[in-house]
Amino acid sequence: MELVVARIGRAHGIKGEVTVEVRTDEPELRLSPGAVLKTEPAAAGPLTIETGRVHSGRLMLRFAGVKDRTGAEALRNILLIAEVDPAELPEEEDEYYDHQLMDLDVVLADGTEIGRITEISHLPSQDLFIVERPDGSEVMIPFVEEIVAEIDLEEQRCVITPPPGLIDEREAIIDSTRDEAGEDA
């Protein structure tokens, strides 16, 4: 199975290095020197990682055959794709690959069906499950311990304990600091 593991950013310096937007929890495994990665668009690859280092908190890579800034700039915005065994599991017990979570049934603790996971959005602060409801609408579920109570891959389900208003807006609790009479303090 193929997974997007990074997106190439700007050229860095004059010797062919590029910044990389990492899209994997295991960059040391997927983006190490010697790794051969497919690309999107496919005509740009495959690319072999020659060197890698962290500079000011960003991963910098240099690819075989890319020796100058012009070559590095030509790679900007290309997606890097790794071949991953579908049976492979992450090292940590409570970690999952996106492909394992896709299409899981999402239910409440009492078994009430909410929908199924159709997309996973990776945001800086947290990941979100995009869940398609039976009526075709979508709801976003933060992938945090307080809400996602259980992931059962064998049963293909995700059990959630959402706060009021997350699933049904009519249940939302509005907490206002304004004076009920409309007076200014």
Side-chain angles (χ1 to χ4, degrees), residues 5-154:
V5 294
R7 184 182 66 80
I8 299 174
R10 297 187 328 242
H12 180 79
I14 60 171
K15 296 184 180 178
E17 271 189 322
V18 293
T19 61
V20 176
E21 176 189 308
V22 177
R23 295 189 180 176
T24 175
D25 288 338
E26 300 171 321
E28 65 283 345
L29 177 65
R30 311 275 181 230
L31 300 170
S32 60
V36 179
L37 303 168
K38 292 182 179 180
T39 61
E40 178 63 41
L47 294 173
T48 302
I49 298 175
E50 195 170 88
T51 64
R53 66 185 179 99
V54 176
H55 175 70
S56 298
R58 292 208 45 99
L59 180 61
M60 306 286 178
L61 296 179
R62 184 176 8 248
F63 298 99
V66 180
K67 300 295 180 194
D68 58 20
R69 186 173 185 90
T70 303
E73 287 173 348
L75 297 175
R76 188 170 188 165
N77 292 322
I78 290 174
L79 297 177
L80 299 175
I81 301 166
E83 186 67 36
V84 178
D85 180 351
E88 182 180 327
L89 298 175
E91 292 179 8
E92 298 294 321
E93 183 178 326
D94 288 338
E95 288 185 2
Y96 303 93
Y97 291 131
D98 286 4
H99 71 271
Q100 294 174 298
L101 301 171
M102 293 298 291
D103 293 324
L104 290 185
D105 293 323
V106 179
V107 298
L108 299 178
D110 67 4
T112 303
E113 179 186 1
I114 301 301
R116 68 178 181 81
I117 299 172
T118 57
E119 185 180 337
I120 300 165
S121 181
H122 300 283
L123 303 175
S125 59
Q126 67 193 14
D127 295 337
L128 287 176
F129 292 155
I130 310 301
V131 177
E132 184 177 320
R133 306 198 60 180
D135 66 6
S137 65
E138 290 184 338
V139 63
M140 292 183 273
I141 309 291
F143 187 17
V144 294
E145 191 174 331
E146 295 81 15
I147 296 174
V148 178
E150 177 186 0
I151 301 283
D152 186 338
L153 296 178
E154 286 185 23

